[in-house]
mmCIF file of all heavy atoms in Angstrom:
data_model
loop_
_atom_site.group_PDB
_atom_site.id
_atom_site.type_symbol
_atom_site.label_atom_id
_atom_site.label_comp_id
_atom_site.label_asym_id
_atom_site.label_seq_id
_atom_site.Cartn_x
_atom_site.Cartn_y
_atom_site.Cartn_z
ATOM 1 N N GLN A 223 7.683 26.084 -2.706
ATOM 2 C CA GLN A 223 7.787 24.776 -3.371
ATOM 3 C C GLN A 223 8.075 23.654 -2.384
ATOM 4 O O GLN A 223 8.671 22.630 -2.756
ATOM 5 C CB GLN A 223 8.870 24.789 -4.459
ATOM 6 C CG GLN A 223 8.685 25.922 -5.456
ATOM 7 C CD GLN A 223 9.723 25.920 -6.556
ATOM 8 O OE1 GLN A 223 10.851 26.344 -6.357
ATOM 9 N NE2 GLN A 223 9.346 25.441 -7.724
ATOM 10 N N ALA A 254 20.446 -4.475 -28.667
ATOM 11 C CA ALA A 254 19.054 -4.806 -28.958
ATOM 12 C C ALA A 254 18.972 -6.277 -29.362
ATOM 13 O O ALA A 254 19.862 -6.798 -30.023
ATOM 14 C CB ALA A 254 18.531 -3.914 -30.081
ATOM 15 N N GLY A 258 12.006 -12.862 -27.356
ATOM 16 C CA GLY A 258 11.570 -14.250 -27.208
ATOM 17 C C GLY A 258 12.608 -15.261 -27.631
ATOM 18 O O GLY A 258 12.541 -16.419 -27.221
ATOM 19 N N ALA A 259 13.560 -14.842 -28.451
ATOM 20 C CA ALA A 259 14.465 -15.814 -29.059
ATOM 21 C C ALA A 259 15.904 -15.622 -28.616
ATOM 22 O O ALA A 259 16.808 -16.227 -29.173
ATOM 23 C CB ALA A 259 14.362 -15.720 -30.588
ATOM 24 N N ARG A 265 22.067 -12.174 -23.674
ATOM 25 C CA ARG A 265 21.551 -10.808 -23.651
ATOM 26 C C ARG A 265 22.559 -9.816 -23.086
ATOM 27 O O ARG A 265 23.300 -10.152 -22.160
ATOM 28 C CB ARG A 265 20.290 -10.733 -22.774
ATOM 29 C CG ARG A 265 19.167 -11.533 -23.330
ATOM 30 C CD ARG A 265 17.894 -11.309 -22.536
ATOM 31 N NE ARG A 265 16.855 -12.108 -23.159
ATOM 32 C CZ ARG A 265 15.568 -11.845 -23.140
ATOM 33 N NH1 ARG A 265 15.138 -10.796 -22.463
ATOM 34 N NH2 ARG A 265 14.708 -12.615 -23.747
ATOM 35 N N THR A 294 16.264 12.175 -6.906
ATOM 36 C CA THR A 294 15.115 12.014 -7.794
ATOM 37 C C THR A 294 15.569 11.467 -9.139
ATOM 38 O O THR A 294 16.549 11.958 -9.695
ATOM 39 C CB THR A 294 14.416 13.375 -8.019
ATOM 40 O OG1 THR A 294 14.044 13.905 -6.742
ATOM 41 C CG2 THR A 294 13.180 13.226 -8.906
ATOM 42 N N ILE A 411 3.236 21.842 -2.943
ATOM 43 C CA ILE A 411 3.557 21.086 -4.164
ATOM 44 C C ILE A 411 3.761 22.050 -5.328
ATOM 45 O O ILE A 411 3.058 23.061 -5.454
ATOM 46 C CB ILE A 411 2.459 20.049 -4.475
ATOM 47 C CG1 ILE A 411 2.933 19.103 -5.578
ATOM 48 C CG2 ILE A 411 1.147 20.717 -4.840
ATOM 49 C CD1 ILE A 411 2.034 17.908 -5.762
ATOM 50 N N GLN B 222 15.552 -15.743 -35.500
ATOM 51 C CA GLN B 222 15.610 -14.689 -34.481
ATOM 52 C C GLN B 222 16.268 -15.160 -33.198
ATOM 53 O O GLN B 222 15.956 -14.669 -32.116
ATOM 54 C CB GLN B 222 14.197 -14.142 -34.173
ATOM 55 C CG GLN B 222 13.463 -13.682 -35.424
ATOM 56 C CD GLN B 222 12.100 -13.110 -35.125
ATOM 57 O OE1 GLN B 222 11.155 -13.861 -34.921
ATOM 58 N NE2 GLN B 222 11.994 -11.805 -35.100
ATOM 59 N N ALA B 253 3.257 14.027 -8.432
ATOM 60 C CA ALA B 253 4.336 14.895 -8.902
ATOM 61 C C ALA B 253 4.723 15.858 -7.781
ATOM 62 O O ALA B 253 3.852 16.319 -7.034
ATOM 63 C CB ALA B 253 3.890 15.671 -10.133
ATOM 64 N N ALA B 258 12.484 20.460 -3.060
ATOM 65 C CA ALA B 258 11.809 21.046 -1.903
ATOM 66 C C ALA B 258 10.825 20.084 -1.249
ATOM 67 O O ALA B 258 10.050 20.489 -0.397
ATOM 68 C CB ALA B 258 11.095 22.329 -2.322
ATOM 69 N N ARG B 264 7.165 12.350 -0.131
ATOM 70 C CA ARG B 264 7.115 11.961 -1.546
ATOM 71 C C ARG B 264 6.251 10.730 -1.768
ATOM 72 O O ARG B 264 6.228 9.829 -0.934
ATOM 73 C CB ARG B 264 8.521 11.628 -2.054
ATOM 74 C CG ARG B 264 9.429 12.814 -2.026
ATOM 75 C CD ARG B 264 10.756 12.508 -2.710
ATOM 76 N NE ARG B 264 11.556 13.715 -2.663
ATOM 77 C CZ ARG B 264 12.487 14.030 -3.542
ATOM 78 N NH1 ARG B 264 12.767 13.209 -4.534
ATOM 79 N NH2 ARG B 264 13.144 15.165 -3.439
ATOM 80 N N MET B 291 12.026 -16.352 -19.800
ATOM 81 C CA MET B 291 12.695 -15.134 -20.263
ATOM 82 C C MET B 291 11.819 -13.940 -19.935
ATOM 83 O O MET B 291 10.604 -13.998 -20.124
ATOM 84 C CB MET B 291 12.933 -15.195 -21.768
ATOM 85 C CG MET B 291 14.053 -16.160 -22.130
ATOM 86 S SD MET B 291 14.552 -15.999 -23.842
ATOM 87 C CE MET B 291 13.243 -16.934 -24.608
ATOM 88 N N THR B 293 11.550 -9.576 -20.305
ATOM 89 C CA THR B 293 12.077 -8.362 -20.917
ATOM 90 C C THR B 293 11.236 -7.163 -20.494
ATOM 91 O O THR B 293 10.012 -7.224 -20.522
ATOM 92 C CB THR B 293 12.036 -8.473 -22.460
ATOM 93 O OG1 THR B 293 12.768 -9.623 -22.855
ATOM 94 C CG2 THR B 293 12.620 -7.235 -23.126
ATOM 95 N N ILE B 410 20.489 -12.302 -34.171
ATOM 96 C CA ILE B 410 19.900 -11.074 -33.611
ATOM 97 C C ILE B 410 18.820 -10.542 -34.555
ATOM 98 O O ILE B 410 18.967 -10.581 -35.779
ATOM 99 C CB ILE B 410 20.982 -10.014 -33.332
ATOM 100 C CG1 ILE B 410 20.395 -8.879 -32.509
ATOM 101 C CG2 ILE B 410 21.602 -9.499 -34.624
ATOM 102 C CD1 ILE B 410 21.428 -7.903 -31.989
#
Side-chain angles (χ1 to χ4, degrees):
Chain A
Q223 307 182 282
R265 295 187 179 208
T294 303
I411 191 169
Chain B
Q222 306 182 280
R264 296 188 179 208
M291 287 191 280
T293 303
I410 191 170

